[in-house]
Amino acid sequence: MTTLSDLNTVDTGAFVEALRGIYEHSPWISERAASLRPFASVAALKQALQAVVTQAGENEQLSLLRAHPELAGKAAIAGELTAESTGEQAASGLNLCSAEEYALLHALNAQYNEKFGFPFILAVKGPTGRGLTRTAIIATFTRRLGNTRVDELHECLRQVHRIAEIRLNDLLDVQHLFGSQVMDWAETLGTISDSPENLTCAYMTPAHQRTASQLRDWMREAGMDAQIDAVGNVVGRYAAGQPDAKTLITGSHYDTVRNGGKYDGRLGILLPIALVRHLNERGERLPFHLEVIGFAEEEGVRFRSTFLGSSAITGRFDPVLLDQQDSEGVSMRTALAAAGHDPADIKAIARDPASLLGFVEVHIEQGPVLLERGLPVGVV
């Protein structure tokens, strides 16, 4: 097995050879990155390779894109793909297309090349690495045909980097402990909605209550003592070895805007659950209590009042809000009672600041900064 240490110490020729299949038929990328060694981590290596492509001129970038095969195209049918591309297309069943699917993909490939001047590129292994379905691939293909050339050039380069990342992970046997599980959980929650057409989860609706129950169950399965409090927060506690230890709180909100995203807020709940599950499986305890809180409400969709969950935790919940009404004339007080909560208990939710270490939240980026800079995470 190739290791990062191997890549850092071999000569340039061996480095380029080891990374031969990472960027399709484009050894110039690893040749230029070789001078940047040693790399402190696999992430640093990935970023260095991406930086080479970013700093290249458009002609070289186009050459890189044009080195990629069409999806289910002539090269695939003729068995002329690289081993990496063959495995990736097979993972999504593109080698099993029906005659109608082959015809449709052939037409889409032709339209795309005519419009943009380079092939359609998609990391068909998908975010979990298990492969996108042919239906999802065709839908993405069709949607992206509507993009501008500039946007599609950037998107294809982003997909190229994702393909390279997957291949590099395979080469170096990088195992992601939490990513697939977190994405699977997010997909499950994404099916629980107030609307059949999109993801909408407003405060104290049936979908909201089902989401809370599911989060509580996952917390318990992960090894936490979990409950739903009087305002609807889902609170999971992973106790420290010392009962008098202080508490670190992490989490985010699980309600959504109308037509919301699967990871907005929820990533900050699901990732800590996965982390606690990992700790619990290893029999490890932290030197502090860890509370994972799924805050019941932040977006203000139903009652036009935001941050209900976190305001209760900080002792700043305004009881006047209980008389706010939704568009159908249902008060917040009534909605809470219908869900089995007693508004009189909300005051007791407040935490004593002296018992806390602090609060940290993981959140999906909602801007272009990390994406444009090719960075995996930012700390603010």
Side-chain angles (χ1 to χ4, degrees), residues 68-76 81 89 94 105-106 109-110 113 119-120:
H68 285 73
E70 294 180 340
L71 295 183
K74 294 179 180 178
L81 299 180
Q89 295 205 21
L94 288 173
L105 284 167
H106 178 75
N109 278 319
N113 269 293
F120 173 78

Side-chain angles (χ1 to χ4, degrees), residues 46-263:
K46 293 174 183 176
Q47 290 171 31
L49 293 168
Q50 291 175 15
V52 169
V53 176
T54 300
Q55 293 163 11
E58 184 172 318
N59 286 339
E60 285 185 310
Q61 291 175 345
L62 288 172
S63 175
L64 169 62
L65 298 185
R66 290 166 181 158
H68 285 73
E70 294 180 340
L71 295 183
K74 294 179 180 178
I77 295 171
E80 298 173 351
L81 299 180
T82 63
E84 292 82 5
S85 288
T86 298
E88 289 157 1
Q89 295 205 21
S92 289
L94 288 173
N95 58 328
L96 302 175
C97 286
S98 66
E100 292 78 11
E101 288 170 328
Y102 271 124
L104 177 55
L105 284 167
H106 178 75
L108 289 170
N109 278 319
Q111 293 173 44
Y112 189 96
N113 269 293
E114 181 178 358
K115 179 174 182 178
F116 299 116
F118 47 83
F120 173 78
I121 299 173
L122 178 66
V124 294
K125 277 196 170 182
T128 65
R130 294 192 291 265
L132 299 173
T133 65
R134 295 195 295 276
T135 299
I137 291 169
I138 290 170
T140 302
F141 209 148
T142 303
R143 173 178 56 79
R144 281 174 50 186
L145 269 169
N147 285 349
T148 66
R149 187 178 186 278
V150 170
D151 287 344
E152 199 55 21
L153 175 63
H154 290 161
E155 179 60 20
C156 278
L157 289 172
R158 190 179 74 83
Q159 293 293 330
V160 165
H161 292 316
R162 175 58 182 150
I163 293 167
E165 179 179 28
I166 292 171
R167 292 177 178 181
L168 196 58
N169 288 342
D170 290 342
L171 175 68
L172 300 177
D173 194 30
V174 174
Q175 302 294 323
H176 293 292
L177 297 177
F178 310 135
S180 294
Q181 180 63 80
V182 168
M183 286 187 278
D184 287 345
W185 282 338
E187 288 296 321
T188 296
L189 294 184
T191 66
I192 306 172
S193 177
D194 300 327
S195 168
E197 299 176 354
N198 53 55
L199 175 55
T200 301
C201 183
Y203 188 55
M204 287 300 142
T205 61
H208 186 270
Q209 295 173 57
R210 284 180 57 202
T211 299
S213 295
Q214 182 63 81
L215 287 170
R216 178 199 59 200
D217 292 347
W218 284 335
M219 288 178 178
R220 289 175 175 173
E221 291 168 7
M224 286 182 272
D225 177 20
Q227 61 184 343
I228 301 173
D229 68 20
V231 82
N233 294 327
V234 187
V235 183
R237 185 174 178 85
Y238 191 64
Q242 297 296 325
D244 60 349
K246 289 194 174 185
T247 299
L248 177 68
I249 298 178
T250 186
S252 193
H253 64 98
Y254 65 89
D255 69 318
T256 74
V257 296
R258 291 185 176 87
N259 193 16
K262 297 174 185 176
Y263 295 96

Side-chain angles (χ1 to χ4, degrees), residues 2-15 18 34 37-39:
T2 303
T3 67
L4 182 63
S5 177
D6 294 334
L7 295 177
N8 277 332
T9 55
V10 296
D11 62 36
T12 298
F15 177 81
R37 294 179 293 170
F39 300 109

